[in-house]
Amino acid sequence: MELIQKKFKSLNLSDPFFASLIEDYKEFSQWFTKKAEDNAYVFEDELGNVNGFLYLKPESGPIEDVVPVLPNKNRLKVGTMKINAHGTKLGERFIKKIFDHALHNKASEIYVTVFPTHEALVSLFAKYGFSKAAEKHTQNGTEHVLVKDLSKLQDSLVKSYPLADLANKNFYLLSINPQWHTRLLPDSILKNEDADIIEDISHTNSIHKVYLAAMNGMEVLRPGDIILIYRTTDGAGPAHYRSVATSIGVVEEYRSIHSFVSRDDFMRYCKPYSVFSDAELDQFWARKRYPHVFRFTYNAALKRRVTRGEMIEKFGLDPGAYWGFMRLTRDQFNSIAQAGQLNESIIIN
């Protein structure tokens, strides 16, 4: 299923998907009709039935209809979010889309109101650093106001997402071949123009990634290490100009393929966040040619691609070094991120 934007007026409010929202919110039908010309993100199945719905609204000023009142800030409001999970990663895709929009709109906070009875939804938001800041009392009952501060690190890498903490961290350039890069990092596809982080290019647009590689030295990766993804040349021109830095990630975990006790153990770990097919994973397990297995968060695409030539000539990277997996200095990383017009708000020095 693809995540697409649709106007409210093009959606069928009598779709069974909306029944629980109509039941929870007495004013929902009227509100939905008023939003006719507004856009929402929608997941639809093959038959056109809605399986996910997300409405986002930038706001500024205090939030006065909650207790306690929340102070004046630029915020992104998660107006409505509902998912029919069915064992998929729809919730995570919505969370990534929420963060993408918040950064795009330079919001300092994100907030959402949720009935505490929706435990799975509350848990999903909590996983990514949302916490209760207030309550909202209406004719529908009492909702919790969950807030995510986009300027503060929290007590875990995932709760801090999309922020990247650079203090006392190691920095590495990690090369990925074009065929895997397009699958793994869909909004970092090489384009002639700047990447639009708001566009949902592929169903693989998720926060967490699992990747396998065979490059020397990768066993040094540790949680919190910062990786600069480097897309190798597509053959359409010299690597000096066509190999480019595209995006930033943070390592969650490194494992050797030999640490898995069985194929099933390996598949359970890789499958939820891997872009590889079952057949490819089976082959990787059988041959053990890619011994390095690591999970990372995909924090941001560079708006401008930085070429190999620029990294050598301007930022001092060694042209004779092994560019498959290469240590960077903090200054080199910062210079490349700045040249790539990385959203500076995600970087905590």
Side-chain angles (χ1 to χ4, degrees):
M1 291 185 291
E2 293 300 317
L3 175 57
I4 57 175
Q5 288 196 68
K6 281 195 166 187
K7 289 191 180 295
F8 277 65
K9 67 182 182 182
S10 69
L11 298 169
N12 180 10
L13 190 56
S14 63
D15 187 309
F17 174 86
F18 295 107
S20 64
L21 290 168
I22 293 170
E23 184 178 346
D24 281 349
Y25 300 97
K26 295 178 175 62
E27 70 282 7
F28 186 81
S29 296
Q30 184 179 5
W31 171 83
F32 195 94
T33 302
K34 284 183 179 179
K35 294 291 181 183
E37 295 298 330
D38 287 359
N39 288 317
Y41 283 104
V42 180
F43 281 113
E44 293 179 333
D45 63 20
E46 296 78 7
L47 300 176
N49 299 310
V50 178
N51 274 266
F53 181 89
L54 174 66
Y55 171 66
L56 302 171
K57 180 185 177 187
E59 292 184 345
S60 60
I63 306 176
E64 298 180 331
D65 60 348
V66 302
V67 181
V69 170
L70 299 183
N72 180 20
K73 288 187 179 181
N74 288 327
R75 295 181 175 90
L76 181 71
K77 179 181 181 179
V78 183
T80 306
M81 174 170 161
K82 186 193 171 187
I83 306 149
N84 287 345
H86 301 311
T88 67
K89 297 294 176 185
L90 300 192
E92 183 192 312
R93 288 178 63 190
F94 273 149
I95 293 291
K96 185 174 189 303
K97 193 57 58 181
I98 291 167
F99 286 137
D100 286 348
H101 272 266
L103 294 174
H104 185 75
N105 286 286
K106 296 180 171 57
S108 59
E109 281 186 355
I110 306 168
Y111 82 101
V112 59
T113 62
V114 184
F115 287 110
T117 51
H118 297 317
E119 294 178 1
L121 198 56
V122 171
S123 178
L124 176 66
F125 281 113
K127 177 180 178 181
Y128 292 98
F130 287 77
S131 58
K132 182 183 175 184
E135 291 184 348
K136 184 174 182 178
H137 306 285
T138 68
Q139 61 176 340
N140 301 309
T142 297
E143 293 178 276
H144 289 179
V145 183
L146 307 180
V147 172
K148 165 82 172 188
D149 187 332
L150 288 168
S151 65
K152 293 181 181 177
L153 294 167
Q154 299 194 37
D155 60 5
S156 77
L157 188 155
V158 174
K159 284 184 178 180
S160 296
Y161 182 89
L163 301 183
D165 179 13
L166 304 193
N168 303 312
K169 297 300 189 299
N170 296 315
F171 302 85
Y172 298 99
L173 178 145
L174 173 71
S175 71
I176 297 180
N177 291 335
Q179 67 176 113
W180 303 124
H181 186 278
T182 300
R183 282 206 238 171
L184 190 70
L185 307 172
D187 58 356
S188 292
I189 294 172
L190 188 62
K191 295 181 177 183
N192 292 326
E193 69 277 5
D194 287 349
D196 181 359
I197 61 169
I198 302 304
E199 182 182 0
D200 195 68
I201 298 170
S202 166
H203 67 280
T204 57
N205 202 338
S206 60
I207 292 171
H208 305 275
K209 308 285 182 180
V210 168
Y211 194 64
L212 283 80
M215 294 170 288
N216 294 332
M218 295 188 69
E219 62 277 358
V220 301
L221 285 173
R222 295 293 180 268
D225 286 348
I226 310 296
I227 52 176
L228 176 71
I229 305 296
Y230 173 72
R231 178 192 183 276
T232 58
T233 181
D234 55 6
H240 196 76
Y241 305 104
R242 298 294 298 180
S243 294
V244 289
T246 67
S247 36
I248 306 299
V250 180
V251 176
E252 291 187 79
E253 185 178 35
Y254 167 86
R255 291 185 65 173
S256 164
I257 198 169
H258 302 289
S259 70
F260 296 96
V261 298
S262 66
R263 174 197 171 277
D264 288 346
D265 184 30
F266 171 73
M267 295 293 282
R268 274 193 300 270
Y269 185 86
C270 295
K271 194 171 178 180
Y273 295 114
S274 170
V275 295
F276 303 116
S277 67
D278 286 2
E280 287 167 337
L281 288 172
D282 269 329
Q283 188 178 76
F284 296 157
W285 173 253
R287 296 183 179 180
K288 306 291 193 297
R289 288 178 56 193
Y290 299 98
H292 306 297
V293 184
F294 62 100
R295 187 173 70 237
F296 67 97
T297 57
Y298 176 33
N299 292 61
L302 300 182
K303 293 182 181 178
R304 174 183 173 273
R305 310 312 181 218
V306 184
T307 66
R308 172 188 170 94
E310 191 174 355
M311 288 188 278
I312 292 169
E313 293 160 8
K314 291 186 178 180
F315 309 129
L317 275 65
D318 181 0
Y322 174 58
W323 282 55
F325 180 70
M326 180 170 61
R327 183 82 177 259
L328 301 173
T329 68
R330 181 165 171 166
D331 285 346
Q332 286 171 333
F333 173 84
N334 283 336
S335 296
I336 295 166
Q338 186 174 17
Q341 299 172 13
L342 179 70
N343 189 317
E344 293 181 357
S345 66
I346 75 163
I347 297 297
I348 305 295
N349 285 292

